Amino acid sequence: MDILLTFVGYRDPFVENEEGEVVRPGPVLDLLRHRDFDQLILFGTEGTTEQLSSLRSHLETSTVELEEFVLDIEDPTDYTVILSELRGHLQEIQEAREEANFYVSVASGTPQMHASWLMLVAGGELPARILHTRPPEHVTPEKPAVAELDVQKPEFPEIRAPVQARYVSATFPDIEEAVREVGIIGDHPTIQKAVNMVAAVAPQTSVPILILGETGTGKELFARLSHRLSGHPPDRFVPVNCASIPEDLAESTLFGHEKGAFTGATERKLGLFDRADGGTLFLDEVGELPMQMQSKLLRVLENGVITPIGAEESHSVNTRVVAATNRDIEHEIEAGNFREDLYYRLNMAEVTLPPLRSRRADIPRLALHFLDLSNEEFGQDARLSSRALIRLQNTKFPGNIRDLKNIVGRAVLLTDKEVIEPEDLDDIAPKEEAELEASPVLHEEFDLKAYLDDIRQKLYRKALEKASGNKSEAARLLAVTPPAVDRHIEREDED
């Protein structure tokens, strides 16, 4: 298990300018964009409770397990107090996680907090590796975004070990560039997995690809990524939405026809397979094709030969088929709406895209990207406040990424403010309707940590009930590790 320990500072979770506008992710979020951890242990002080709460809101829906401590530090420059408070927790943390790999961040908090980490690691009290995150303006090929410090060496140099690439492809080393070109945004492990799958099969141009996912999850972007990585000419990507093809024109649309082949065929027409010859044909919503066309599509996939309507001879095409659907294909097969043999032919390489609600940690990045696009489109210079980003991150998006894009675009178009706040989203981004997310009644003795702990315990208990007591399944539902479920249940039993 890889565990990151870090202080929370005034630049978390986002760096803002003097007007309160979000400029970029803060040190903690920026580090999590480049490195994956199983658990994140946050150390806050009475002076950073607001930042700690905001960061927690951004991270509780991510796959990383979260734990936090509020240290009794009035003066964040007092080495003696900082070291004493850290030592009061580190022994317990290490004893509970004997086989863990510990990392500490020296990018968030005060310089004295950074130095305290260095002293604890250099003195052998904390067996950890030290990570430093650079601001984007200081990142160069020689100075990566994340660097590791080796305090055990006498010369105390900075080890510029390259950060492990989020996307790995032996056949296409500049995959990061391709991802940016097609517009895929996201650091969530499920997105990384989908990108890596596409990268692995893209050069095998005879292999069809089947992309599964709800409406608005970015299926066409991944189809374009496969084309980009295939080495085919850029202009030979031909997309079509099968649901928009009239049933009586489906064969002509896909395979073409000769002049006079049927009433209205006043001239010869190339089909989509011919137009995509030497490239990629993207069949979006392939589940909408009528059964007769599914049979003909299967034959083309098997032999690479098409026959235009009215043609006397068939001919071969070298067309890579990437198909996509938002339907439950296995259910459609059982219902007799989709050919099982076609499904098995298409899913030689199957890519599943997650709904946005399953990767909420990516929402702030996506929202800021769409904000820039909307500002350019509408000639505005609007900004999203941190509170607005939190609101978006806790919003349901039935239409997924497309829904988020529309919400941000409408907010930019409709508001006359420079900074978009949560209240500006009330009419266009409905709030979550969930019992556990109801606002508490605030009073003088209100304990925020106790309230959040109670919610967390309820979620763990609810997951266990849904999993019929299976802790591994409960951990999967919560996107945490099974030991985390054990710890929360043990804590509940003790209470």
Side-chain angles (χ1 to χ4, degrees), residues 255 296 299-307 314-317:
F255 308 130
K296 294 182 178 182
R299 286 200 298 272
V300 175
L301 291 174
E302 290 176 339
N303 57 33
V305 174
I306 66 170
T307 306
S314 302
H315 63 272
S316 298
V317 289

Side-chain angles (χ1 to χ4, degrees), residues 271-287:
L272 296 179
F273 269 91
D274 274 312
R275 287 173 53 194
D277 191 16
T280 302
L281 175 59
F282 175 49
L283 300 177
D284 196 10
E285 302 308 336
V286 69

Side-chain angles (χ1 to χ4, degrees), residues 336-352:
N337 298 324
F338 199 84
R339 292 181 61 103
E340 186 173 18
D341 48 2
L342 176 58
Y343 167 64
Y344 288 124
R345 189 67 181 83
L346 285 172
N347 83 336
M348 291 179 66
E350 184 174 296
V351 178
T352 300

Side-chain angles (χ1 to χ4, degrees), residues 208-284:
I209 298 175
L210 178 62
I211 305 176
L212 305 177
E214 296 179 6
T215 298
T217 50
K219 294 188 289 294
E220 183 170 340
L221 294 184
F222 277 81
R224 291 184 180 276
L225 178 65
S226 71
H227 179 72
R228 171 69 174 79
L229 299 180
S230 69
H232 284 149
D235 60 348
R236 285 301 176 96
F237 178 84
V238 179
V240 61
N241 189 320
C242 296
S244 67
I245 305 175
E247 184 171 347
D248 58 342
L249 295 178
E251 184 174 1
S252 171
T253 300
L254 293 179
F255 308 130
H257 63 253
E258 298 295 326
K259 181 178 179 180
F262 52 84
T263 302
T266 57
E267 58 184 14
R268 182 174 181 267
K269 176 185 175 182
L270 281 180
L272 296 179
F273 269 91
D274 274 312
R275 287 173 53 194
D277 191 16
T280 302
L281 175 59
F282 175 49
L283 300 177
D284 196 10

Side-chain angles (χ1 to χ4, degrees), residues 380 382 411-420 424:
Q380 302 276 45
V412 172
L413 180 63
L414 298 176
T415 187
D416 56 358
K417 300 179 179 179
E418 291 185 1
V419 180
I420 298 172
D424 301 316

Side-chain angles (χ1 to χ4, degrees), residues 75 103 207 234 238 272 283 346 386 410 426 464 478:
D75 180 0
Y103 298 79
V207 176
V238 179
L272 296 179
L283 300 177
L346 285 172
S386 295
R410 290 200 299 273
D426 285 345
L464 266 175
L478 292 168

Side-chain angles (χ1 to χ4, degrees), residues 76 119 148 214 490:
M119 285 187 280
E148 184 174 327
E214 296 179 6
E490 289 172 1

